[in-house]
């Protein structure tokens, strides 16, 4: 149950230092290395965020280049 709870906290976007306190751990290392597990959904969401960031960053760079010319 603790592993599921920790993983659900992670999937909900709860910061690791908050999850550590909720689980009563002394260190973030214990929380992150032992109790949290990457779900397929979390991996997909993280990948989409990185792709979105890269796309927006590229658009901003292209706008700067066009405005300089």
């Amino acid at each position: 149950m603790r592993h599921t709870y920790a993983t659900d906290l992670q999937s909900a976007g709860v910061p690791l230092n908050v999850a550590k306190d909720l689980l009563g751990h002394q260190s973030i290392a214990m929380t992150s290395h032992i109790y949290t597990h990457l779900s397929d959904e979390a991996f997909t969401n993280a990948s989409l965020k990185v792709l979105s960031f890269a796309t927006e960053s590229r658009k901003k760079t292209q706008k700067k280049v066009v405005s300089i010319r």
Side-chain angles (χ1 to χ4, degrees):
M1 294 293 282
R2 291 178 62 78
H3 292 262
T4 301
Y5 179 56
T7 301
D8 287 348
L9 290 172
Q10 179 184 27
S11 294
V14 174
L16 197 53
N17 61 323
V18 174
K20 172 192 78 79
D21 290 341
L22 290 171
L23 290 160
H25 293 156
Q26 292 292 320
S27 71
I28 289 176
M30 175 177 277
T31 306
S32 67
H33 295 296
I34 297 174
Y35 283 94
T36 58
H37 307 284
L38 183 62
S39 68
D40 290 340
E41 182 181 358
F43 185 81
T44 300
N45 288 339
S47 298
L48 291 173
K49 285 180 183 180
V50 170
L51 181 61
S52 175
F53 175 80
T55 302
E56 289 302 315
S57 179
R58 188 175 302 124
K59 286 180 185 178
K60 288 177 185 177
T61 301
Q62 288 173 347
K63 284 181 183 178
K64 287 180 184 177
V65 171
V66 170
S67 65
I68 292 173
R69 291 182 183 171

